[in-house]
Amino acid sequence: MLALSAGALCLAGCGAPGGGSGGSLSIDTSNATAAPGETARIEVQASSVGVMTWQLAEIPESWQVTYEDFEPEPTAVRESYPPELVWDPVADSVTGTLAVAVPDDASSGEYTVAVEAGTDASDERVVSEAMVTVE
């Protein structure tokens, strides 16, 4: 039952079966393009989210990924790698940006960032994969 094995399109727009009280947990991300030395910005939209994190599936660990302009702001950030953003109580709607700093020596290609959201009150999780293209 790994969400990562399912397609991002379904997970981005589908609520989980038998969703919890209130709205349905969902997440959607945009793709981004940047040249070496620039910053790629991935737009994130989520619903009924309590926690959010990202996985650098194909991005080298040396690349810096930071979160910017989240509305509402997380109520806490759990220090881990990568950090886990927390909303308590669960936020009905969250928007923000993940900024991927592409190093000057980055190779051209496509790199995947998996962004995961959950309610934190259950094991329910959804994932959206964003593609970072380095030109």
Side-chain angles (χ1 to χ4, degrees):
M1 189 187 249
L2 286 175
L4 289 174
S5 64
L9 290 177
C10 176
L11 289 173
C14 300
S21 61
S24 294
L25 175 64
S26 68
I27 190 163
D28 190 26
T29 57
S30 66
N31 295 328
T33 301
E38 294 182 349
T39 300
R41 287 185 161 61
I42 299 168
E43 301 301 321
V44 179
Q45 294 183 328
S47 298
S48 299
V49 64
V51 294
M52 182 184 302
T53 193
W54 50 93
Q55 206 170 26
L56 307 177
E58 296 175 2
I59 291 188
E61 280 188 33
S62 61
W63 292 26
Q64 293 294 315
V65 179
T66 56
Y67 61 94
E68 302 176 342
D69 305 321
F70 271 85
E71 188 60 42
E73 289 186 22
T75 54
V77 178
R78 292 184 183 141
E79 296 300 324
S80 59
Y81 184 79
E84 187 174 59
L85 309 181
V86 179
W87 288 268
D88 187 17
V90 169
D92 290 335
S93 178
V94 170
T95 60
T97 302
L98 294 178
V100 181
V102 180
D104 292 332
D105 62 351
S107 300
S108 296
E110 293 184 338
Y111 301 86
T112 302
V113 178
V115 184
E116 180 180 274
T119 61
D120 206 28
S122 71
D123 290 334
E124 183 181 8
R125 298 284 188 261
V126 291
V127 176
S128 181
E129 293 184 342
M131 188 69 60
V132 174
T133 302
V134 177
E135 298 181 328

